Amino acid sequence: MEFDLTGEKSSKILLAFGILLLFSSVIISDLGLDSHVLMAVEDGALPWGHTRNIDPLASDQSYAPQYYERADVIFGILDSEIKLKSFVFLSSLILILVVGFHGFTSHDSDMSKKFDYYSASIIALYPAFIFATGRGYFEVPIALIFLLSHSNFFNNSRHEMSSSYHIFILGGLGVAAIAWIKGITVLI
């Protein structure tokens, strides 16, 4: 019996294995350091001061940087490890579904689109996404935001470039949302 990587049956098996790996990483892994730090933010600052302890004023709370406004919003809602990991795992499943239904390997007409198990299995088995899902990092939601905000651009670049500006506005909003999640002021 030969294992054909491009066959639909083998792609389904790889997709199921990838989802099992994602789920097991959520169960087995602890939260990552960045997630712990961002969950500890109160009123825009860390209660123990600055995270860089090489500085002599590192433990002074008044010296601590006040750039954690997004942590109060995001991690105020996702205030426990279970909520955070569930959100990232759900984002992983949505990303797999979006990539599967988008079908990057099939260039057929929109009427005959099928679920692309091969592309979905590549996303499910991507090691960085498995690691980020288990640690509670936001790489997967960021990839999902980027894909959703740029999917019209990908569709039009396949056929013909439209002259409408809504594609570029939506892409810019997606990039601004990613910058906000990473803690960069969007106005910059």
Side-chain angles (χ1 to χ4, degrees):
M1 178 180 204
E2 185 176 324
F3 186 75
D4 183 18
L5 191 59
T6 59
E8 186 173 328
K9 184 177 179 182
S10 60
S11 296
K12 287 179 182 179
I13 292 169
L14 289 174
L15 177 62
F17 182 66
I19 292 173
L20 182 67
L21 283 175
L22 283 168
F23 183 71
S24 64
S25 73
V26 168
I27 300 295
I28 293 170
S29 296
D30 291 330
L31 283 180
L33 179 64
D34 293 344
S35 298
H36 276 295
V37 167
L38 290 172
M39 287 180 81
V41 169
E42 296 172 0
D43 297 327
L46 294 169
W48 58 79
H50 204 287
T51 55
R52 307 280 185 231
N53 57 5
I54 197 166
D55 194 351
L57 295 174
S59 61
D60 184 10
Q61 286 183 337
S62 62
Y63 179 70
Q66 297 289 324
Y67 56 88
Y68 291 112
E69 295 90 12
R70 68 176 172 100
D72 286 339
V73 175
I74 295 171
F75 292 97
I77 298 168
L78 305 171
D79 56 352
S80 69
E81 182 178 355
I82 293 172
K83 287 181 184 178
L84 180 61
K85 284 188 172 187
S86 298
F87 171 73
V88 177
F89 180 68
L90 183 64
S91 299
S92 299
L93 293 179
I94 292 171
L95 180 65
I96 290 169
L97 287 174
V98 167
V99 168
F101 281 116
H102 198 291
F104 289 107
T105 59
S106 62
H107 299 288
D108 300 335
S109 67
D110 292 333
M111 300 301 263
S112 64
K113 278 206 172 193
K114 296 186 328 183
F115 190 80
D116 186 6
Y117 290 100
Y118 182 72
S119 296
S121 65
I122 290 173
I123 296 298
L125 290 171
Y126 189 55
F129 288 161
I130 294 171
F131 178 78
T133 301
R135 294 291 186 164
Y137 295 150
F138 276 178
E139 277 81 0
V140 177
I142 287 172
L144 181 62
I145 290 170
F146 185 82
L147 180 64
L148 291 176
S149 64
H150 289 77
S151 62
N152 284 339
F153 178 74
F154 292 139
N155 285 337
N156 286 343
S157 67
R158 230 187 255 167
H159 303 295
E160 68 211 31
M161 183 47 99
S162 165
S163 64
S164 62
Y165 291 104
H166 75 280
I167 296 171
F168 300 109
I169 291 171
L170 189 62
L173 289 175
V175 170
I178 291 169
W180 179 76
I181 288 173
K182 295 304 274 181
I184 300 170
T185 304
V186 178
L187 295 177
I188 294 174

